[in-house]
Amino acid sequence: MADSVLSPDPRLRQPAHYSRQEVVSALSDFYNFLATLPHIHSSAINHAPPGGWPEITRESLAKRDIHKPAEAIELLRHLPYIRGEVGERFNWIAPECFACDWRLVSRPGLRELRPPLYTTSWLHRNSRGKWQWPEWVVQLAAGRDREEWVLLLDTTDGTVTRYYSMYYVYEPTYPEGDPRSWRDWCCDETLPIREFLDRWRQKYICMEWLGIPNKKLSAIRTGWMPFDEEEGDDSDGEDDDPSPNGKWADDTSDLVRIYREHGWPHNFKRDECRRALLVWKRARPDYVRNIDYD
């Protein structure tokens, strides 16, 4: 798809351009930020060797009936990945959302391991006949719930669009025949990847999302809930931070307190906060069952 023959993208404020190096850099920066939080350890983040991941090749993808153009394959070979062992809890990067690890294409005996369906179903859905998007689109993330949290990267312009399986927000914004019109079936904004991930980073900084550690891997809880533009403030005014723009989820006051006691966001003591959160969780087994993903 050639940018020069297309009209300006109606979803973007300015033209976007694809760069493999920029995609890898943006994901690496975001994953490294996640490693400063209590729920993901830096050792879980794997960066590609200089020549790329050797297990990701045209042949290994084809064995799973996945067919991508050369640049999409090269991108997959050079992306950073967050390790999550199949059959265990995943390292969540957003509520109900985990990063796809494309190294699984070459893992033998994957079916025999009988992992939870959601951990590998995204891979099956990338196969010919199942993949509903253009071949040059790469899936970066998937989800475990019915909404799915699918993040789709367009390798022609370096933008990310989220597919939310329950609904989509946008009326058609692209003319018929436009190779970007697949985005009309997605629910979220289309943004350059770094801008998209910076918005997610801000959700953590504002404690809209709260990373919670687990002895194996992790969980994420929604903390601060901003109101929609049409929604008014129906709070009772007794929150620690009363605001007309949102409210704290009812069961997150202890989590917010623990984060703040350990210096979030400007002087954060990650390891001490992690230990405090693990102690807090052990004392509340019912809450643990609600947020863990077994």
Side-chain angles (χ1 to χ4, degrees):
M1 184 175 72
D3 293 343
S4 60
V5 302
L6 297 177
S7 60
D9 194 312
R11 294 191 179 187
L12 301 177
R13 295 190 301 271
Q14 57 188 16
H17 303 283
Y18 171 75
S19 161
R20 186 196 312 162
Q21 183 177 1
E22 171 62 11
V23 173
V24 171
S25 175
L27 272 177
S28 296
D29 289 348
F30 180 63
Y31 290 170
N32 290 337
F33 165 75
L34 292 180
T36 69
L37 302 174
H39 71 291
I40 291 182
H41 195 274
S42 59
S43 62
I45 301 170
N46 301 150
H47 297 278
W53 300 108
E55 57 266 57
I56 302 175
T57 64
R58 182 180 299 277
E59 291 74 22
S60 64
L61 290 165
K63 286 181 180 179
R64 295 188 179 274
D65 203 19
I66 298 172
H67 305 275
K68 295 285 186 185
E71 178 51 39
I73 295 173
E74 281 304 302
L75 176 65
L76 295 177
R77 285 173 47 81
H78 289 85
L79 288 179
Y81 293 112
I82 299 181
R83 188 182 70 253
E85 295 301 326
V86 172
E88 294 184 353
R89 304 172 182 88
F90 266 63
N91 277 304
W92 304 95
I93 63 173
E96 308 283 359
C97 175
F98 61 90
C100 295
D101 186 346
W102 280 89
R103 296 172 298 179
L104 289 177
V105 296
S106 64
R107 182 159 181 173
L110 193 57
R111 180 174 298 179
E112 287 73 17
L113 290 173
R114 296 183 179 180
L117 179 62
Y118 67 87
T119 63
T120 56
S121 60
W122 68 269
L123 197 57
H124 176 65
R125 291 175 186 171
N126 272 266
S127 62
R128 179 177 289 167
K130 300 289 186 180
W131 184 241
Q132 63 190 104
W133 315 110
E135 62 181 7
W136 62 80
V137 174
V138 168
Q139 184 172 352
L140 298 179
R144 68 177 295 273
D145 62 357
R146 61 183 180 178
E147 285 82 13
E148 294 190 43
W149 280 84
V150 175
L151 294 190
L152 301 170
L153 173 81
D154 193 324
T155 61
T156 66
D157 62 4
T159 60
V160 170
T161 307
R162 179 186 167 195
Y163 173 66
Y164 191 52
S165 64
M166 298 302 293
Y167 65 88
Y168 65 94
V169 171
Y170 290 102
E171 294 294 329
T173 53
Y174 301 96
E176 184 177 354
D178 191 308
R180 301 165 298 188
S181 61
W182 62 270
R183 300 172 189 169
D184 284 332
W185 293 98
C186 297
C187 77
D188 219 345
E189 294 176 300
T190 295
L191 293 169
I193 184 170
R194 186 172 294 278
E195 184 177 348
F196 185 97
L197 294 176
D198 282 348
R199 290 194 178 189
W200 275 21
R201 184 198 307 250
Q202 192 63 31
K203 289 179 182 292
Y204 284 106
I205 292 174
C206 295
M207 294 192 286
E208 186 176 336
W209 293 346
L210 295 161
I212 307 172
N214 190 296
K215 284 188 290 185
K216 283 188 177 180
L217 294 175
S218 66
I220 295 177
R221 183 70 172 87
T222 300
W224 179 253
M225 301 185 297
F227 295 133
D228 294 333
E229 291 182 2
E230 296 82 8
E231 185 179 2
D233 183 359
D234 60 357
S235 65
D236 57 13
E238 297 179 358
D239 293 339
D240 290 339
D241 296 299
S243 168
N245 299 318
K247 64 179 181 180
W248 294 108
D250 293 338
D251 58 350
T252 58
S253 58
D254 285 344
L255 300 175
V256 172
R257 174 182 55 78
I258 292 171
Y259 263 78
R260 287 176 169 169
E261 285 177 351
H262 292 86
W264 186 260
H266 302 298
N267 188 30
F268 189 53
K269 300 177 179 64
R270 179 214 182 256
D271 293 340
E272 292 88 337
C273 183
R274 175 182 170 84
R275 288 193 290 269
L277 288 169
L278 288 171
V279 169
W280 180 85
K281 279 183 63 182
R282 284 196 293 269
R284 293 160 180 80
D286 290 338
Y287 192 89
V288 169
R289 282 196 291 270
N290 287 336
I291 63 173
D292 281 352
Y293 305 110
D294 296 307

